[in-house]
Amino acid sequence: MNRSPDLRVTLGPLEMKNPVMTASGTFGYGCEFESLVDLNLLGGIVVKGLSLKPMAGNPVPRIAETPAGMLNAIGLANIGVNEFIEKKLPWLRGIDTSVIVNIYGHSTDEYEDLAKAFKGVEGVAALEVNISCPNVEMGGMVFGKDPALSARVTERVVKNTDKPVIVKLTPNVTDIGALARAVEESGADIISLINTLTGMAIDIERRRPKLANVSGGLSGPAIKPVALYQVWQAVNSVKIPVIGIGGIIDYRDALEFLIAGAKAVQVGTANFVNPRATMDIIEGLKGYCIEKGIDDINRIIGSLNI
Amino acid sequence: MLRVNEGIDPLLRRPFSICGTTDGEIALILYKIAGHGTEILSGKKAGEKLSVMGPLGQGFTLPGQNEKAVLVAGGIGIAPLYFLACALKDNQMEFMSGFDTSGNIISPEKIAGRSINISIATDDGSEGYSGMVTGLLDEYLDKNIYEKDSIIIYACGPSAMLKKVSSIAACREIPCQVSMEALMACGLGACQGCAVKVFPQNDLTLYRHVCKDGPVFPAHIIDWGAI
Ligand SMILES: Cc1cc2nc3c(=O)[nH]c(=O)nc-3n(C[C@H](O)[C@H](O)[C@H](O)COP(=O)(O)OP(=O)(O)OC[C@H]3O[C@@H](n4cnc5c(N)ncnc54)[C@H](O)[C@@H]3O)c2cc1C
Ligand SMILES: Cc1cc2nc3c(=O)[nH]c(=O)nc-3n(C[C@H](O)[C@H](O)[C@H](O)COP(=O)(O)O)c2cc1C
Ligand code: FES
């Protein structure tokens, strides 16, 4: 069989032409990669996390390389929701892909306002809610570490939007299944995971942290096994579709997540190493299907034999 | 942005300046061994292929016809300044370069052809001016009479040096362009990792990105207090 396999996937209310998306914060607002990537080929583009007001971000250094990975403490620097809608979104509408907007707030009220800001706005296929943020009302406790708080954020967003809602989970918890279930019960349409794992690195010459922020989020190939296990646990805990993220560099990595049951994947740090990583992964998935005589990518999803 | 190795060790690309071109085609890269990535690079043999993404960002703005260019390099910072110098006439520029010691002097003309007169400063006094290149710059500006708008400083080197050059330029009210260094991941303005703090312009934007908005910036917009 040599026919081009069907790569389309359906994640609840969200339909995509293939299961490969870019991960938030690693692909800017899409335009940064325009000259290098045919954006029309991508299943989806998840833009940099947006807050109500523009944010300048953390002091530098903000990044540190680690074995097979990197730490970042960007501090969610972004242009803010209004400028995004005015200046970036019109251009993104011209691209034939699912544009997904990643949002984060410092309080449940802010999450609600962000959801409202996109109500009726065209060209946005879904909202992805980043709950790995400190809650200023609760002394900086990270929303996503507490199932009850995560549920509350999810509910507020779901109530105030006309778009499919993806909730993006943090891996820095003891029971990812419980968190996934809490979010599902509060109305999330889709779950995506994992966000970065908290870590740190030290400069031994100066005996100082390599990041000005002391700690940061670990990403890249180093986190893949952890990510894969958490994705598999999430898949087994909920009925809603799951998007797998973490350390995906090539199509083989993507396949691992799909076989574990993820309906789609997001590619993050790999975009820095190979800006065309997403395109290469899509081609690789096609090639794998052809080689194995599989006519529909959905036959691979969740096909893990134990 | 250069990938020193296929595979994931090291994972990220490394930023390098273009030091020269041959027949408008080959970009020569001058490098020093700073760590793991440049160590691997130094082991590459002639003819080996590496993945390069570029050129990226904003370079130096050339001086006006009647402007004298003063080029101030610190260590490996000589690489992009040599490339700039190649676009200038000999009598239009003054090139000075600082190194820690005579054994570490880099001579880019050995790689890229054009011979340019470069005044040397060494921290230990083993060759040329004894002391930092910023001392040499001060001395040059003291000795030479110039009109404020007929001279422009271009600098590349460690942040501490750039800070000093920038303050010399500010005191004497001379325009100055600096090429900044920063750790980088994407090189495309997407990850916001390579931020450099600038004076707020409309209360909001506090950072610029070395990879895309730079690496060359007008010295007066940088918030040197944060460096
Ligand atoms: C715009 C720009 C242009 C540059 N041009 C040149 C050039 O033409 N020739 C050249 O030899 N080098 C150049 N550099 C510096 C070069 O990128 C670093 O030396 C290199 O990335 C170090 O990699 P490594 O793996 O060897 O070091 P690592 O093992 O990663 O680190 C070793 C040491 O180098 C420092 N370092 C790491 N990355 C950078 C960086 N991006 N900038 C400054 N210091 C760094 C680290 O803080 C550490 O102290 C340039 C840097 C920038 C930002
Ligand atoms: C520089 C950088 C910035 C990021 N910014 C965001 C963000 O704004 N919002 C978010 O939900 N995740 C953000 N992430 C997390 C990624 O989307 C992704 O979940 C994580 O990096 C793991 O995937 P990877 O190993 O493929 O990079 C960021 C990651 C990196 C490396
Ligand atoms: S290196 Fe990513 S924004 Fe500059």
Side-chain angles (χ1 to χ4, degrees):
Chain A
M1 191 201 72
N2 245 330
R3 205 160 43 86
S4 196
D6 191 349
L7 293 187
R8 285 173 301 174
V9 289
T10 304
L11 289 79
L14 178 65
E15 285 179 27
M16 299 203 309
K17 61 174 145 194
N18 67 59
V20 183
M21 297 174 249
T22 62
S24 179
T26 64
F27 211 68
Y29 303 102
C31 45
E32 293 86 348
F33 284 76
E34 189 194 8
S35 63
L36 294 160
V37 177
D38 183 352
L39 302 171
N40 298 298
L41 297 177
L42 306 183
I45 295 177
V46 186
V47 301
K48 175 69 190 167
L50 294 167
S51 49
L52 278 178
K53 297 264 157 58
M55 302 246 313
N58 282 331
V60 293
R62 292 175 171 181
I63 51 176
E65 196 177 29
T66 56
M70 65 178 279
L71 287 163
N72 89 80
I74 305 296
L76 297 161
N78 77 96
I79 57 175
V81 67
N82 291 338
E83 187 166 335
F84 172 77
I85 293 176
E86 257 170 54
K87 300 220 174 107
K88 305 286 179 185
L89 192 56
W91 178 82
L92 279 164
R93 284 194 189 108
I95 293 161
D96 181 20
T97 188
S98 302
V99 174
I100 295 167
V101 168
N102 182 285
I103 56 170
Y104 78 95
H106 302 96
S107 63
T108 37
D109 287 345
E110 278 192 25
Y111 279 105
E112 174 172 330
D113 290 344
L114 281 157
K116 283 180 178 159
F118 285 100
K119 217 171 175 178
V121 173
E122 264 176 57
V124 174
L127 297 181
E128 182 178 62
V129 189
N130 176 3
I131 52 172
S132 313
C133 314
N135 178 352
V136 289
E137 294 161 332
M138 304 268 290
M141 150 104 175
V142 173
F143 285 98
K145 285 194 181 177
D146 178 43
L149 257 182
S150 305
R152 211 178 311 156
V153 171
T154 308
E155 234 169 73
R156 294 284 284 276
V157 173
V158 169
K159 257 196 206 134
N160 290 286
T161 186
D162 50 359
K163 316 249 183 288
V165 174
I166 307 169
V167 178
K168 182 167 176 179
L169 307 185
T170 167
N172 303 310
V173 295
T174 35
D175 187 352
I176 199 77
L179 188 59
R181 279 190 299 273
V183 164
E184 177 183 45
E185 279 159 21
S186 331
D189 297 298
I190 303 163
I191 283 170
S192 64
L193 74 164
I194 64 175
N195 210 315
T196 53
L197 284 152
T198 306
M200 81 185 273
I202 293 173
D203 176 341
I204 57 167
E205 298 302 327
R206 300 190 302 154
R207 299 194 209 167
R208 284 167 68 166
K210 286 193 179 172
L211 297 174
N213 188 53
V214 182
S215 67
L218 183 65
S219 65
I223 70 170
K224 197 188 76 177
V226 177
L228 193 58
Y229 181 54
Q230 292 214 352
V231 166
W232 184 71
Q233 283 179 297
V235 165
N236 289 311
S237 305
V238 294
K239 294 195 182 65
I240 54 177
V242 171
I243 299 171
I245 321 169
I248 298 174
I249 283 271
D250 61 26
Y251 79 93
R252 293 182 202 89
D253 300 326
L255 279 167
E256 286 193 64
F257 282 88
L258 296 177
I259 292 167
K263 283 246 175 188
V265 295
Q266 290 179 11
V267 180
T269 303
N271 294 307
F272 304 154
V273 184
N274 169 16
R276 299 201 176 99
T278 41
M279 287 166 71
D280 292 350
I281 290 170
I282 295 165
E283 274 312 300
L285 290 178
K286 265 187 212 158
Y288 176 85
C289 287
I290 292 171
E291 188 195 311
K292 304 284 177 200
I294 296 167
D295 58 356
D296 183 344
I297 192 99
N298 287 287
R299 292 187 204 283
I300 293 171
I301 293 168
S303 62
L304 182 69
N305 299 308
I306 294 183
Chain B
M1 294 290 281
L2 181 73
R3 197 167 171 189
V4 300
N5 237 357
E6 288 295 311
I8 56 172
D9 177 38
L11 182 65
L12 299 173
R13 288 171 181 266
R14 299 291 191 262
F16 285 94
S17 311
I18 296 169
C19 176
T21 56
T22 310
D23 304 330
E25 274 192 350
I26 306 156
L28 296 171
I29 288 162
L30 182 72
Y31 67 90
K32 72 162 193 194
I33 297 174
H36 185 50
T38 41
E39 172 99 56
I40 291 174
L41 198 55
S42 70
K44 298 287 171 193
K45 294 185 191 67
E48 273 187 72
K49 284 196 175 151
L50 297 172
S51 160
V52 181
M53 197 168 78
L56 303 166
Q58 315 297 320
F60 293 106
T61 309
L62 290 176
Q65 285 247 308
N66 302 317
E67 254 177 339
K68 177 101 179 178
V70 181
L71 282 56
V72 188
I76 191 65
I78 198 170
L81 288 176
Y82 178 79
F83 192 40
L84 170 68
C86 287
L88 304 174
K89 294 195 197 75
D90 282 332
N91 62 1
Q92 200 193 1
M93 68 174 140
E94 181 68 31
F95 199 152
M96 52 191 76
S97 196
F99 300 94
D100 46 2
T101 182
S102 63
N104 288 341
I105 293 176
I106 301 163
S107 312
E109 57 267 43
K110 279 189 201 142
I111 304 172
R114 178 160 165 207
S115 139
I116 289 165
N117 186 24
I118 302 176
S119 313
I120 301 288
T122 50
D123 297 350
D124 65 358
S126 51
E127 191 167 330
Y129 174 90
S130 176
M132 310 239 243
V133 70
T134 45
L136 192 55
L137 173 66
D138 253 333
E139 197 181 88
Y140 173 81
L141 296 173
D142 283 342
K143 274 192 198 147
N144 290 273
I145 299 161
Y146 54 85
E147 302 277 331
K148 268 183 228 158
D149 50 2
S150 67
I151 188 164
I152 175 165
I153 298 175
Y154 296 94
C156 182
S159 297
M161 181 208 116
L162 296 182
K163 189 172 178 172
K164 186 86 208 319
V165 172
S166 166
S167 105
I168 292 172
C171 282
R172 297 178 188 252
E173 295 179 54
I174 302 170
C176 177
Q177 295 178 23
V178 289
S179 182
M180 308 284 293
E181 283 198 338
L183 296 172
M184 291 187 182
C186 71
L188 297 168
C191 75
Q192 324 232 31
C194 64
V196 55
K197 203 165 184 198
V198 298
F199 290 116
Q201 277 168 345
N202 44 19
D203 288 346
L204 290 175
T205 326
L206 284 159
Y207 291 97
R208 289 274 183 281
H209 299 112
V210 173
C211 68
K212 194 176 183 187
D213 308 321
V216 178
F217 295 94
H220 67 269
I221 74 160
I222 306 287
D223 180 354
W224 296 101
I227 283 165

